[in-house]
């Protein structure tokens, strides 16, 4: 896969917007590791429920914690969940999917029926089931979200791998005496990498949303570690008097999901013509 | 359809809403926790009493909305001069919901069941002083005590001393049968319990014909339910901050009352390092009580310094014993051999007062080096792991029973506080009949608990009741948790 040039990105406003938002959020997450306006766990009950001001740009919550600091630290949490959960899905899913494609037969059937089985449960519902079983917490939420990512990547990589496997250069490689494992690594994976990256970006957005959902239900990240979803949950009963408590984390979640979706869509548009050309 | 029929139908449609409104005689009450069972002798959960006490079940005596003792199934009683023999005259013509008669044998059965070694009654102290129970005739019960007991009658008024029929007692967990003004109709698990009026009730037939208790644990859902009229009353708002927003609603009345619920940071006194009084005192010094009250219950709680209700004449204000002083806390920890603090877990049951207090306390303890990890758990898990199996370091809970300082004299209670001097003091209070002397001894007991820093005593749980302005009779305070439906009525 050849990387698109910067100019090609700028010609696509959606892609540019998505990339900008994603990069900004990633920077915020990185900055929060070394600096936030206030320590995000610092409570100051005397300063509780302050509206946005010069001192607290986004106001304070019911314990007097700085919302901006919590949002910044929360972005770290969202990114961590996204990376690890998508990583689990990508790693296990692609391995299963390409194996199914290459081996075919009973292996293919078993893997695909398992994927169907996992798909039969709505993603967030299965994540709730898994956290109910493993107990609430950030790590378990990540595992739960990762597990429902597996069939997504398994199916996608199987379908794409089958297309690649039917092409002439694979035949040539086999004629040259390469084993199937080597062919998979050297020819199949590079050819499906583009579409996997696109899917990973979209799954990243879904993972952030799923984590926020689980945290909102009290099944995700536990206090005092900040999480956008839990901030939203805690804001509920204060909505009437302090709406900013809900508006800012809600906006952060929306922005992150929008950013990754735009990025994913844009990348797909960028990569698709190439795939079409390759297929013909 | 004939013209006449149409006219009738139209008239009905027009007057129907008015007719329905004028005749409203049902009530729906929202509460935070669902009872684990409907049998108050199966456990200490307050939610059981909120639904059943004085509605389904009745005792020989009752506590009224002012916290005073009143006769109920016992019409009257006499106490012998030596304070050892209580003779109760029972009310005649009282029937259980299954149609059987209430008589002295039921009282004997119920109390002996509660006294039995395998009894699961959460308040065995009520029955512990009983030496024997005699029933000279169908409507007389004579109870002889082992020694004079100051609180004996008071205990008999609790939800734990309500009278059951031997034939139906086994079913009470799910199909409760009592003598009360309301019969159990059905329990939709996770949602509601429905009661209907007992038209064969022995006293005045109450105004409300049907009552539904709905279990809504989410604070925002509670607010939405009362505003939408899905519930007519919330006996105690889960999120105190919502009170401000509901006060502006002309259809609702918000009443800030008090409870007997001491909210405490309970400490597992038997488990190191908490078995060291210096560690417990350090924890007490590390916690800023007022910050907890402001942050967790929007400032609605009354601070307490010991396990005693400020409503009681014997209350001693000990809130100044361990002032908020992180430096002193660190010094005490260092003295106890933990200069760098230690790790601990804080298990939190679902009510928002507990979850929020927990977050604040975890942050405050972190300031002195105690790294607390928070574990939110469901109420059933809390009862099982913390309360029964004592598998915890720290937890936060409100003890809503009135005058329950005696729990500290139970060596196997989940605090695992074992102090023979305290137990002796409690025994002495039990046999002291003079009220002034008893109150003095209660003061001594309060000081002992505070000196030993058994738990961190935080605040008295408020009762923020919200109900429809046209509903009258809800209890404004909770001398004990109860929602007697028979006292409710709708304004015309």
């Amino acid at each position: 896969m050849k990387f698109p040039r910067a100019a090609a990105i700028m010609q696509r406003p959606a892609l540019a917007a998505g990339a900008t938002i994603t990069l900004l959020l990633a920077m915020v997450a990185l900055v929060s590791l070394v600096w936030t306006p206030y320590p995000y766990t610092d409570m100051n009950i005397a300063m509780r429920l302050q509206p946005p001001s010069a001192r607290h740009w986004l106001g304070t919550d019911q314990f007097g914690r700085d919302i901006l600091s919590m949002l910044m630290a929360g972005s770290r949490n969202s990114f961590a969940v996204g990376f690890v959960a998508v990583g689990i899905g990508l790693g296990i899913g692609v391995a299963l999917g390409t194996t199914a494609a290459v081996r075919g037969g009973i292996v293919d059937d078993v893997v695909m029926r398992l994927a169907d089985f996992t798909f039969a449960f709505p993603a967030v519902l299965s994540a709730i089931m898994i956290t109910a079983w493993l107990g609430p917490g950030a790590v378990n939420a990540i595992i739960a979200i990762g597990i429902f990512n597996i069939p997504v990547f398994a199916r996608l990589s199987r379908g794409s791998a089958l297309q690649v496997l039917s092409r002439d250069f694979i035949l040539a490689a086999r004629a040259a005496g390469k084993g199937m494992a080597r062919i998979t690594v050297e020819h199949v994976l590079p050819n499906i990498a583009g579409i996997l990256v696109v899917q990973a970006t979209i799954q990243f957005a879904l993972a952030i949303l799923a984590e926020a959902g689980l945290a909102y239900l009290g099944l995700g990240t536990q206090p005092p570690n900040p999480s956008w979803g839990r901030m939203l949950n805690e804001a509920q009963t204060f909505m009437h008097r302090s709406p900013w408590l809900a508006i800012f984390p809600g906006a952060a979640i929306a922005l992150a999901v929008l950013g990754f979706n735009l990025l994913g869509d844009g990348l797909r548009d960028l990569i698709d013509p190439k795939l079409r050309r390759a297929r013909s | 359809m004939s013209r006449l029929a149409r006219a009738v139908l139209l008239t009905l449609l027009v007057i129907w809403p008015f007719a329905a409104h004028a005749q409203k005689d049902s009530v729906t009450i929202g509460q935070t926790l669902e009872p684990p069972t409907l049998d108050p002798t199966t456990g200490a959960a307050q939610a059981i009493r909120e639904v059943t006490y004085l509605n389904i079940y009745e005792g020989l005596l009752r506590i009224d909305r002012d916290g005073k003792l009143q006769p109920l199934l016992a019409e009257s009683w006499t106490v012998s001069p030596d304070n050892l023999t209580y003779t109760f005259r029972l009310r005649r013509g009282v029937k259980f919901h299954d149609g059987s008669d209430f008589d002295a044998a039921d009282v004997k059965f119920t109390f002996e069941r509660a006294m039995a070694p395998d009894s699961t009654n959460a308040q065995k102290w009520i029955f512990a002083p009983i030496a024997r129970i005699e029933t000279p005739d169908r409507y007389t019960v004579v109870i002889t005590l082992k020694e004079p007991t100051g609180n004996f009658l008071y205990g008999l008024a609790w939800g734990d001393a309500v009278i059951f029929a031997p034939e139906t007692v086994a079913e009470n967990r799910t199909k409760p049968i009592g003598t009360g003004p309301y019969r159990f109709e059905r329990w939709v698990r996770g949602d509601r319990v429905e009661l209907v009026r007992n038209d064969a009730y022995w006293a005045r037939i109450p105004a409300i014909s049907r009552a539904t208790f709905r279990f809504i644990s989410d604070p925002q859902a509670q607010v939405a339910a009362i505003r939408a009229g899905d519930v007519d009353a919330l006996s105690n708002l889960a999120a105190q901050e919502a009170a401000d927003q509901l006060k502006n609603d002309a259809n609702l009345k918000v009443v800030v009352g008090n409870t007997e619920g001491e909210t405490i940071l309970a400490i597992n006194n038997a488990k190191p390092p908490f078995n060291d009084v210096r560690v417990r005192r350090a924890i007490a010094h590390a916690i800023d009580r007022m910050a907890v009250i402001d942050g967790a219950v929007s400032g609605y709680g009354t601070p307490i310094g010991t396990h005693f209700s400020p409503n009681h004449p014997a209350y001693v204000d000990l809130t100044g014993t361990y002032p908020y002083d992180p430096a002193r806390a660190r010094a005490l920890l260092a003295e106890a051999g933990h200069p760098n603090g230690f790790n601990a877990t804080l298990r939190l049951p679902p009510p928002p007062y507990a979850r929020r207090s927990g977050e604040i306390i975890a942050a405050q303890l972190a300031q002195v080096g105690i790294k607390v990890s928070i574990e939110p758990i469901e109420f059933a898990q809390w009862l099982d792991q913390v309360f029964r199996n004592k598998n915890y370091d720290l937890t936060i809970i409100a003890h809503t029973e009135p005058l329950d300082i005696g729990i500290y004299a139970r060596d196997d209670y989940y605090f695992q506080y074992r102090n023979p001097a305290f137990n002796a003091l409690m025994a002495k209070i039990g046999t002291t009949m003079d009220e002034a002397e008893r109150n003095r001894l209660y003061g001594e007991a309060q000081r002992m608990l505070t000196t030993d820093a058994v738990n961190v005593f935080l605040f008295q749980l408020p009762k923020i009741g919200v109900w429809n302005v046209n509903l009258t009779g809800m209890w404004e305070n909770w001398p004990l948790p109860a929602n007697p439906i028979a006292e409710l009525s709708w304004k015309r």
Side-chain angles (χ1 to χ4, degrees):
Chain A
M1 177 188 148
K2 218 165 55 186
F3 264 97
R5 283 170 298 117
I9 293 177
M10 295 324 289
Q11 279 161 13
R12 294 179 162 78
L15 180 60
T20 313
I21 294 172
T22 313
L23 275 175
L24 271 176
L25 285 174
M27 273 166 57
V28 167
L30 284 176
V31 168
S32 79
L33 287 171
V34 290
W35 179 83
T36 50
Y38 294 84
Y40 62 86
T41 52
D42 257 21
M43 294 185 184
N44 182 356
I45 302 287
M47 290 290 286
R48 67 195 293 260
L49 299 172
Q50 298 284 315
S53 66
R55 248 178 101 184
H56 296 281
W57 287 6
L58 303 184
T60 61
D61 75 352
Q62 71 274 23
F63 300 136
R65 291 177 296 196
D66 183 56
I67 302 278
L68 177 60
S69 308
M70 290 176 76
L71 281 181
M72 287 177 69
S75 69
R76 207 155 76 204
N77 178 60
S78 293
F79 269 87
V81 170
F83 273 119
V84 181
V86 173
I88 292 173
L90 200 63
I92 301 177
V94 171
L96 286 175
T98 47
T99 309
V102 172
R103 285 291 179 85
I106 184 97
V107 178
D108 190 15
D109 277 348
V110 169
V111 170
M112 286 305 109
R113 290 305 79 76
L114 274 176
D116 289 345
F117 179 77
T118 321
F119 257 132
F121 297 96
V124 174
L125 188 68
S126 52
I128 290 174
M129 287 196 313
I130 293 167
T131 46
W133 172 47
L134 297 173
V139 175
N140 293 343
I142 289 175
I143 294 173
I145 299 166
I147 287 175
F148 79 65
N149 269 322
I150 295 174
V152 175
F153 287 103
R155 278 191 166 179
L156 182 72
S157 54
R158 173 183 174 271
S160 317
L162 281 178
Q163 280 182 2
V164 176
L165 285 171
S166 67
R167 285 165 53 200
D168 291 344
F169 66 83
I170 299 289
L171 204 61
R174 293 184 73 167
K178 285 189 183 175
M180 277 322 279
R182 208 171 144 198
I183 290 174
T184 307
V185 174
E186 286 182 7
H187 298 287
V188 179
L189 283 183
N191 274 291
I192 65 172
I195 197 151
L196 289 177
V197 168
V198 171
Q199 192 64 37
T201 317
I202 290 163
Q203 291 307 118
F204 205 101
L206 289 175
I208 288 179
L209 205 55
E211 196 280 333
L214 287 179
Y216 177 85
L217 295 172
L219 299 171
T221 315
Q222 295 300 322
N225 299 318
S227 146
W228 293 345
R230 214 186 54 252
M231 287 173 76
L232 209 51
N233 177 333
E234 287 170 2
Q236 278 189 106
T237 51
F238 296 96
M239 266 299 278
H240 188 76
R241 62 173 291 191
S242 318
W244 61 88
L245 283 182
I247 290 172
F248 295 126
I253 294 169
L255 194 68
V257 172
L258 181 72
F260 277 100
N261 270 320
L262 286 176
L263 183 67
D265 282 356
L267 284 178
R268 191 181 52 214
D269 289 351
L270 207 61
I271 289 166
D272 246 5
K274 211 170 72 180
L275 283 183
R276 240 182 279 123
R277 205 165 50 239
R279 240 179 267 135
S280 58
Chain B
M1 208 191 291
S2 78
R3 193 178 288 180
L4 180 67
R6 260 189 245 176
V8 168
L9 191 67
L10 188 68
T11 316
L12 275 178
L13 277 176
V14 169
I15 67 163
W16 175 253
F18 299 99
H21 181 73
Q23 286 167 358
K24 173 149 185 168
D25 65 347
S26 64
V27 69
T28 304
I29 295 180
Q31 68 181 50
T32 306
L33 291 173
E34 178 169 20
T37 78
L38 293 174
D39 178 351
T41 63
T42 56
Q46 167 183 336
I48 307 175
R49 284 117 186 113
E50 287 180 52
V51 173
T52 63
Y53 181 68
L54 300 182
N55 292 329
I56 296 174
Y57 304 117
E58 297 176 315
L60 294 184
L61 292 85
R62 62 171 287 192
I63 286 171
D64 69 10
R65 61 175 65 220
D66 301 317
K68 300 219 163 56
L69 278 182
Q70 301 289 352
L72 195 59
L73 292 178
E75 240 169 17
S76 62
W77 55 87
T78 54
V79 185
S80 66
D82 62 359
N83 289 312
L84 283 176
T85 309
Y86 288 70
T87 307
F88 296 94
R89 281 177 45 80
L90 304 187
R91 206 171 283 280
R92 286 159 197 257
V94 176
K95 284 188 188 304
F96 283 99
H97 299 151
D98 65 350
S100 62
D101 285 328
F102 156 80
D103 62 21
D106 298 316
V107 178
K108 187 174 158 73
F109 163 79
T110 301
F111 290 180
E112 283 178 350
R113 175 172 176 266
M115 289 157 67
D118 62 342
S119 154
T120 52
N121 197 300
Q123 311 295 343
K124 283 190 194 165
W125 62 266
I126 297 173
F127 312 97
I130 299 178
R132 61 182 180 277
I133 304 168
E134 287 148 308
T135 53
D137 66 60
R138 265 194 93 184
Y139 296 103
T140 308
V141 176
V142 181
I143 299 180
T144 311
L145 305 186
K146 294 170 193 154
E147 52 193 2
T149 305
N151 281 330
F152 183 62
L153 284 177
Y154 185 66
L156 291 188
W158 280 33
D160 305 86
V162 291
I163 307 299
F164 308 118
E167 311 84 55
T168 55
V169 71
E171 303 283 303
N172 275 346
R173 289 168 156 268
T174 52
K175 268 189 281 170
I177 299 273
T179 58
Y182 289 87
R183 282 187 290 116
F184 169 77
E185 189 171 67
R186 71 186 177 133
W187 182 2
V188 181
R189 295 260 178 180
D191 184 43
R192 64 187 188 274
V193 167
E194 291 174 15
L195 309 180
V196 290
R197 183 165 58 199
N198 169 14
D199 288 314
Y201 188 52
W202 57 270
R204 193 176 64 84
I205 304 294
I208 302 290
S209 71
R210 300 186 66 86
T212 306
F213 285 90
R214 280 193 57 200
F215 313 117
I216 309 173
S217 59
D218 183 74
Q220 192 56 31
Q222 288 189 346
V223 172
I226 188 106
R227 297 195 95 165
D230 293 344
V231 298
D232 302 308
L234 292 169
S235 52
N236 192 6
L237 207 57
Q240 289 76 13
E241 68 274 8
D244 300 337
Q245 132 190 30
L246 294 173
K247 274 177 189 159
N248 300 328
D249 193 322
N251 296 317
L252 299 175
K253 195 174 162 188
V254 178
V255 180
V256 179
N258 56 48
T259 70
E260 300 294 306
E262 292 87 7
T263 309
I264 57 171
L265 172 72
I267 302 174
N268 193 340
N269 278 242
K271 191 173 174 186
F274 307 105
N275 55 353
D276 186 331
V277 69
R278 290 170 298 189
V279 169
R280 300 198 299 270
R281 284 179 184 154
I283 293 174
H285 275 301
I287 291 171
D288 180 357
R289 196 183 274 121
M290 291 319 288
V292 176
I293 294 173
D294 284 343
V297 290
S298 294
Y300 281 109
T302 311
I304 51 170
T306 185
H307 198 105
F308 218 75
S309 163
N311 304 327
H312 195 281
Y315 174 73
V316 184
D317 184 355
L318 296 167
T319 49
T321 314
Y322 303 107
Y324 174 57
D325 186 350
R328 177 97 192 87
R330 270 189 294 267
L332 276 166
L333 284 177
E335 204 184 306
H338 306 282
N340 302 315
F342 51 85
N343 294 323
T345 58
L346 174 57
R347 302 199 137 166
L348 298 175
Y353 74 78
R355 296 268 164 101
R356 290 183 188 160
S357 301
E359 263 195 77
I360 300 170
I361 285 173
Q364 292 175 348
L365 292 180
Q367 300 287 317
V368 301
I370 303 173
K371 289 165 280 299
V372 172
S373 64
I374 290 175
E375 282 180 22
I377 53 179
E378 290 307 307
F379 199 61
Q381 283 178 293
W382 187 89
L383 284 171
D384 183 55
Q385 296 173 11
V386 178
F387 192 73
R388 261 181 232 118
N389 294 319
K390 301 151 193 123
N391 175 16
Y392 76 109
D393 295 338
L394 303 166
T395 188
I396 294 173
I397 192 79
H399 280 259
T400 51
E401 296 87 0
L403 203 60
D404 55 355
I405 192 170
I407 54 181
Y408 289 80
R410 300 187 202 168
D411 289 349
D412 63 342
Y413 208 60
Y414 75 105
F415 315 138
Q416 307 212 67
Y417 170 63
R418 298 184 183 111
N419 181 349
F422 185 85
N423 299 2
L425 189 57
M426 275 296 125
K428 198 170 162 196
I429 289 172
T431 57
T432 303
M433 303 304 289
D434 177 58
E435 200 176 328
E437 173 62 7
R438 204 161 65 215
N439 285 352
R440 193 190 65 74
L441 293 173
Y442 270 132
E444 210 174 293
Q446 294 171 52
R447 286 192 189 87
M448 203 180 279
L449 292 185
T450 305
T451 306
D452 286 345
V454 183
N455 294 317
V456 181
F457 308 101
L458 299 170
F459 55 87
Q460 206 68 9
L461 199 66
K463 167 173 156 59
I464 302 187
V466 185
W467 47 82
N468 188 303
V469 282
N470 292 318
L471 183 68
T472 56
M474 285 287 290
W475 281 19
E476 304 195 341
N477 300 312
W478 262 349
L480 49 70
N483 300 296
I485 305 293
E487 297 177 22
L488 302 182
S489 62
W490 287 100
K491 273 185 208 153
R492 285 278 143 198

